[in-house]
Amino acid sequence: MGDTLLLQRPDIAGLLDRLVVDLRRGRLAGGAPYRHVNGFTKIVAEEHADGSRLTLHYWPAEPRAREHVSRPHDHRFPFSSILLGGRQHFVELEEDAGGEGWRRFTYRPYAGGRIAHVARAGNVGLTPVRRIERMPLQGQYVTSSTIVHQAVTDRRQACATLVLRGARERVRSHVYYRPDEPPPRGGLQLGRRLDPAEVIRQLQDMAAMIA
């Protein structure tokens, strides 16, 4: 399994159609989709023997909402991502003693990522160093496991990405909270399970984005 996405539009459409069929039959191989704390539905499309995984992320439209800005975070694995539809950009940051103050936490997911343990790991400064604009079905965003970034997603319309994550390189990653932002109660971050009919509607919306 390579570290970049080489799928074409017909391949992505076929993948979405297969997932709709699997959901209707109640046998999605990657486990139940869930709503991630960063505002998106996470759907595991494929899992591979080398530890890589193909996932879909879908942010429902909220026309009256502001842009959704994720907490700064890195990952346990490298990944590449294609924007299927909607508007989104990334901001990459670096730890810097002179940067804006944040609290760093370790992040360890369980149960396919639906549950995560979050533990305090000190205070740091973060400084933005790069902004990456994205266009639907044009190019990929490719990053290592150690790059800290934020996803900035326009919620006036639905947004979706296809993500190929590589094999896991470490057990824990990092997530950053502002000094006045409370961490999860009890150190546990929980994703919300979704009704299969809602997930099917979201998959069909993704298919319409690339039609």
Side-chain angles (χ1 to χ4, degrees):
M1 195 73 184
D3 59 356
T4 57
L5 281 161
L6 300 175
L7 295 179
Q8 302 298 314
R9 193 187 303 252
D11 300 313
I12 300 170
L15 175 71
L16 295 169
D17 288 344
R18 176 175 61 77
L19 290 171
V20 168
V21 171
D22 288 349
L23 263 172
R24 285 176 171 157
R25 293 175 176 173
R27 60 180 194 190
L28 203 61
Y34 65 93
R35 179 66 50 79
H36 193 279
V37 70
N38 275 332
F40 59 85
T41 299
K42 183 173 182 179
I43 305 166
V44 178
E46 295 177 357
E47 294 187 291
H48 302 274
D50 64 357
S52 61
R53 175 187 279 185
L54 192 64
T55 64
L56 288 153
H57 298 174
Y58 178 89
W59 290 258
E62 294 186 17
R64 290 171 291 186
R66 295 181 177 182
E67 287 182 325
H68 184 273
V69 183
S70 71
R71 295 188 183 96
H73 61 281
D74 59 18
H75 291 267
R76 299 175 302 147
F77 41 77
F79 73 89
S80 57
S81 170
I82 294 173
L83 181 65
L84 300 182
R87 299 183 63 181
Q88 185 182 71
H89 68 269
F90 284 108
V91 176
E92 294 182 346
L93 309 99
E94 291 182 350
E95 291 193 4
D96 174 10
E100 181 182 357
W102 292 79
R103 293 183 297 164
R104 181 173 60 188
F105 289 75
T106 60
Y107 178 91
R108 183 172 184 177
Y110 299 89
R114 191 173 60 84
I115 301 171
H117 181 255
V118 180
R120 181 75 179 273
N123 298 328
V124 299
L126 289 177
T127 298
V129 294
R130 190 162 78 109
R131 174 177 169 133
I132 302 95
E133 299 292 346
R134 313 191 72 189
M135 295 292 292
L137 299 173
Q138 295 185 30
Q140 306 175 46
Y141 175 68
V142 181
T143 188
S144 72
S145 61
T146 58
I147 294 293
V148 177
H149 67 188
Q150 292 174 287
V152 182
T153 308
D154 188 332
R155 299 303 299 276
R156 289 173 295 181
Q157 56 187 304
C159 180
T161 61
L162 179 65
V163 178
L164 175 62
R165 51 155 280 187
R168 190 177 70 192
E169 297 178 345
R170 49 190 174 147
V171 174
R172 295 176 178 83
S173 58
H174 299 98
V175 61
Y176 300 79
Y177 285 71
R178 294 185 182 278
D180 59 350
E181 186 180 12
R185 182 174 297 178
L188 289 179
Q189 178 179 290
L190 305 176
R192 179 171 65 85
R193 287 192 180 275
L194 297 170
D195 183 83
E198 180 180 355
V199 180
I200 288 172
R201 184 192 62 78
Q202 294 178 0
L203 288 166
Q204 291 171 335
D205 190 29
M206 288 184 246
M209 290 177 181
I210 65 171

